[in-house]
Amino acid sequence: MIRTLVVDDDFRVSGIHAAYVAKVPGFEVVGQVSTVEAAEDAVRTLRPELLLLDVYLPDGTGLDLLRRLAAQPPDPSAPHAGRPDAIMITAARDMHSVREAMQLGAIGYLVKPFGFAAFEQRLVAYAELRQRMDALVGAEETDQADVDALFSAGRSAPLPTTPPKGHSAPTLALVRDAVRTARRDLSAAEVAELTGVSRATAQRYLSYLVREGMARLELRYGTTGRPEHRYRAA
């Protein structure tokens, strides 16, 4: 479970966001606070991994909080060394706030008002980013494809709620996850082996992922014959 702290000065909005978090699998709310000072204390005591952070707070801004957390010495015993990730959830639309949030390391920016679907999309994308990063733990170094995947994961589009005719949502998710968690390109046969579907089915779903921009097709040329189709997460 991804430990989430909601930081918003409006208790009704904070409650709505907490309820939204509870509806997204893999996330739990560990606290709700309304000020910069309370948020700083909560980060230290509750050790959240993700902040849902408003810009406008009674004793400062969410951006002030990010600056304070960045200035603190790392805590090796806490998640992310005591520096949780942050998704800004705010009515602040000015470019100064947006740009400063990016410079301070916020991984997302959701402008109020919004519905649950937009909220869920950001959390699902963050969970996928965490999954990719966890898969690379222990690796001595990453290649360019790994880096590209990490930088794009937080912005990745969710799978369609209703897949096209002839495709099932569970199989689509299975094939997509197989490609995303692999640290190399895969053939349709390898995806079929990983997922338990037939090679033809794997090929059909892989082609769909390529069309939707969720996978990248690469051609591997041998000495003779047709090039082999290989697939990698976009």
Side-chain angles (χ1 to χ4, degrees):
M1 302 292 283
I2 296 175
R3 298 170 58 81
T4 307
L5 177 68
V6 180
V7 186
D8 197 295
D9 65 327
D10 187 322
F11 74 93
R12 290 164 297 187
V13 172
S14 180
I16 291 171
H17 293 169
Y20 277 0
V21 173
K23 292 171 63 177
V24 182
F27 290 81
E28 64 175 343
V29 175
V30 296
Q32 296 171 239
V33 296
S34 59
T35 65
V36 172
E37 184 177 358
E40 192 172 8
D41 289 341
V43 168
R44 183 169 53 255
T45 58
L46 300 177
R47 299 191 170 190
E49 299 163 272
L50 177 65
L51 305 178
L52 301 182
L53 183 58
D54 196 1
V55 170
Y56 303 127
L57 298 170
D59 57 343
T61 70
L63 303 173
D64 294 332
L65 175 63
L66 294 181
R67 277 189 288 270
R68 290 189 190 185
L69 295 177
Q72 293 177 358
D75 179 0
S77 65
H80 303 291
R83 296 172 182 169
D85 294 321
I87 297 176
M88 309 304 296
I89 297 184
T90 178
R93 299 168 179 263
D94 60 285
M95 274 307 301
H96 174 75
S97 295
V98 174
R99 183 175 179 81
E100 192 166 5
M102 294 174 67
Q103 292 173 333
L104 291 170
I107 62 168
Y109 201 105
L110 186 57
V111 177
K112 301 174 183 175
F114 53 82
F116 174 70
F119 182 92
E120 181 185 31
Q121 178 181 342
R122 269 63 176 188
L123 263 62
V124 169
Y126 174 71
E128 292 174 353
L129 172 63
R130 286 282 304 274
Q131 184 181 38
R132 287 174 184 253
M133 295 187 73
D134 290 345
L136 293 172
V137 170
E140 293 186 2
E141 60 182 25
T142 60
D143 58 26
Q144 186 62 53
D146 293 327
V147 175
D148 290 344
L150 289 174
F151 272 87
S152 65
R155 301 186 299 273
S156 59
L159 287 175
T161 304
T162 305
K165 186 176 180 179
H167 296 72
S168 75
T171 304
L172 184 57
L174 194 64
V175 172
R176 179 203 59 180
D177 290 346
V179 174
R180 285 187 169 181
T181 56
R183 297 192 59 237
R184 59 186 181 87
D185 54 66
L186 298 171
S187 67
E190 289 170 323
V191 171
E193 184 177 352
L194 288 170
T195 59
V197 302
S198 69
R199 184 187 181 284
T201 297
Q203 182 70 64
R204 181 157 50 90
Y205 280 82
L206 287 166
S207 296
Y208 173 78
L209 292 176
V210 171
R211 289 196 304 272
E212 293 298 311
M214 289 180 278
R216 189 168 70 244
L217 171 63
E218 299 177 352
L219 300 180
R220 179 179 295 177
Y221 291 89
T223 54
T224 60
R226 299 173 61 184
E228 181 184 15
H229 288 200
R230 309 287 297 184
Y231 299 88
R232 186 185 289 273

